[in-house]
Amino acid sequence: MRDIISITDFKRRDLEFLFRITDRILENPSRYFGTLRGKILGYAFFEPSTRTRLSFESAIKRLGGQAIGFVEPSKTSLKKGESFKDTIKMLEVYSDIIVIRHPADGAAKYAAEICRKPIINGGDGKFQHPTQTMLDLYTIYREFGTIDNLVIGVLGDLKYARTINSLLLGLANFKPKKLYLISPPLLRPREFILDYLLESNIGFELVERLNDVISELDVLYVVRIQKERFPDIMEYNRVKGAYRVTLKALSEAKEHLRILHPLPKLDEIAPELDNTKYALYYEQAQYGVYVRMALLLSILLEEVP
Ligand code: CP
């Protein structure tokens, strides 16, 4: 596919195709050095980012290409009143592929409509972060050899976190044994997400306490409460600090439980977990580079070696 806008544009076979390329890159990274020599990745980040921008930059550079772009719109001619459309049109003429992050739902889709170069959604609005989901699913597949038949708990802000909305939509391509959606009632997933899971025959249960399900989980995916997306700070104040995963909280966990987190993490995971066998979130971020290398190769080459 040319543009990467929504995870719902990807079926299981597409994701497994991407996983296979990622596996090949991980087996022999040096084989891919220079395969995108001369290509330029442009990025336009209208919201802060560490992983998404830097991992795309790392990915294109490892493939022999270069990256240009901005992370502070206030230091571009947007500050002088230039439009979003003209800003994207400039990246179109300066680069071969463009990654966009934006606070507004649909910003990446709009960019794809006005731009002749491939657009990758690096996270827009509340619902879509497709490349994050690709690396999340790859991490699970890489660790367990499968995504099917696993019991997966998803904990935290299931309403506003686009990583979660994307993940739940992406997981619907597979056959997890069960999903536990763990959140305060205020932060339950939106109805259209639950409907999508139902239509996809994914068994799920809404629960409030990690303790009630921890012993069943193979994977625990944790996300921070997204303070910046709450329309009402009073609502945020009612749920902030709702969860903190500690070693004690994992006392009934399976030996092979693995914890994922898209990062950044704040206080929802105790730092004491960082160096335990449970923590997979740093490897997850590292796989992000390789998954994004696979994605860039798939889009920019006729055939991936
Ligand atoms: N996971 C993720 O999107 O991280 P950043 O916001 O740092 O890019």
Side-chain angles (χ1 to χ4, degrees):
M1 287 181 203
R2 203 197 73 131
D3 303 305
I4 311 295
I5 304 301
S6 166
I7 194 65
T8 55
D9 295 334
F10 292 83
K11 300 290 166 242
R12 179 178 179 133
R13 66 175 178 279
D14 306 314
L15 296 166
E16 289 178 340
F17 172 77
L18 190 71
F19 295 172
R20 284 195 296 276
I21 298 175
T22 309
D23 279 342
R24 295 211 301 267
I25 296 171
L26 271 161
E27 274 159 29
N28 188 2
S30 61
R31 184 175 177 213
Y32 296 86
F33 292 167
T35 46
L36 293 185
R37 187 173 293 117
K39 297 290 185 191
I40 295 180
L41 178 140
Y43 57 84
F45 274 53
F46 294 82
E47 276 191 338
S49 166
T50 297
R51 279 143 292 274
T52 308
R53 186 183 72 79
L54 291 176
S55 63
F56 266 115
E57 191 162 344
S58 177
I60 190 82
K61 288 182 174 172
R62 283 164 193 260
L63 296 168
Q66 296 179 62
I68 59 165
F70 63 84
V71 293
E72 285 187 79
S74 64
K75 300 230 169 95
T76 72
S77 287
L78 286 154
K79 178 83 173 169
K80 301 178 215 160
E82 187 165 36
S83 65
F84 175 79
K85 179 181 174 185
D86 281 356
T87 305
I88 298 303
K89 294 301 279 180
M90 293 306 98
L91 281 166
E92 176 187 84
V93 294
Y94 299 148
S95 44
D96 299 291
I97 188 164
I98 299 154
V99 184
I100 291 181
R101 168 165 292 192
H102 201 282
D105 294 309
K109 185 169 187 293
Y110 173 62
E113 284 164 6
I114 58 175
C115 181
R116 286 171 289 131
K117 300 282 174 59
I119 294 284
I120 298 179
N121 185 351
D124 70 353
K126 295 179 289 299
F127 305 115
Q128 285 297 334
H129 197 344
T131 67
Q132 178 69 44
T133 299
M134 290 167 182
L135 77 90
D136 294 343
L137 294 174
Y138 180 77
T139 303
I140 297 171
Y141 151 82
R142 180 93 187 171
E143 185 70 14
F144 290 91
T146 180
I147 298 169
D148 299 332
N149 299 316
L150 297 177
V151 180
I152 300 176
V154 184
L155 175 141
D157 184 344
L158 310 189
K159 183 176 183 183
Y160 294 112
R162 59 187 168 212
T163 49
I164 295 297
N165 288 310
S166 274
L167 178 67
L168 294 177
L169 296 172
L171 273 170
N173 282 298
F174 296 89
K175 297 189 187 316
K177 190 170 172 187
K178 183 152 189 179
L179 292 184
Y180 283 113
L181 305 176
I182 311 160
S183 73
L186 207 57
L187 296 180
R188 283 183 180 152
R190 290 161 200 266
E191 284 302 318
F192 85 90
I193 300 279
L194 298 180
D195 288 346
Y196 195 89
L197 293 176
L198 281 172
E199 284 160 20
S200 308
N201 289 317
I202 306 293
F204 67 85
E205 195 175 325
L206 300 167
V207 295
E208 276 185 59
R209 285 159 38 94
L210 174 62
N211 205 29
D212 293 342
V213 297
I214 186 66
S215 62
E216 293 181 53
L217 302 182
D218 301 302
V219 173
L220 174 62
Y221 191 106
V222 183
V223 69
R224 76 183 164 91
I225 296 181
Q226 316 274 304
K227 183 178 181 183
E228 71 277 21
R229 300 202 195 285
F230 279 70
D232 177 359
I233 193 68
M234 300 292 282
E235 193 182 327
Y236 169 75
N237 285 334
R238 286 210 290 278
V239 290
K240 73 175 178 189
Y243 297 106
R244 183 169 172 82
V245 183
T246 59
L247 260 179
K248 187 160 175 260
L250 302 184
S251 56
E252 302 290 316
K254 291 176 180 170
E255 281 294 304
H256 67 247
L257 173 79
R258 292 293 177 268
I259 300 175
L260 279 75
H261 193 305
L263 306 177
K265 62 183 169 64
L266 305 182
D267 50 8
E268 62 279 357
I269 292 187
E272 67 190 11
L273 289 179
D274 288 355
N275 294 318
T276 66
K277 65 185 176 194
Y278 301 114
L280 197 57
Y281 28 87
Y282 297 126
E283 285 92 338
Q284 180 187 359
Q286 190 178 5
Y287 288 140
V289 175
Y290 296 100
V291 170
R292 286 169 172 136
M293 285 168 78
L295 205 52
L296 294 174
L297 289 167
S298 309
I299 297 168
L300 291 172
L301 293 185
E302 290 280 316
E303 201 169 328
V304 181

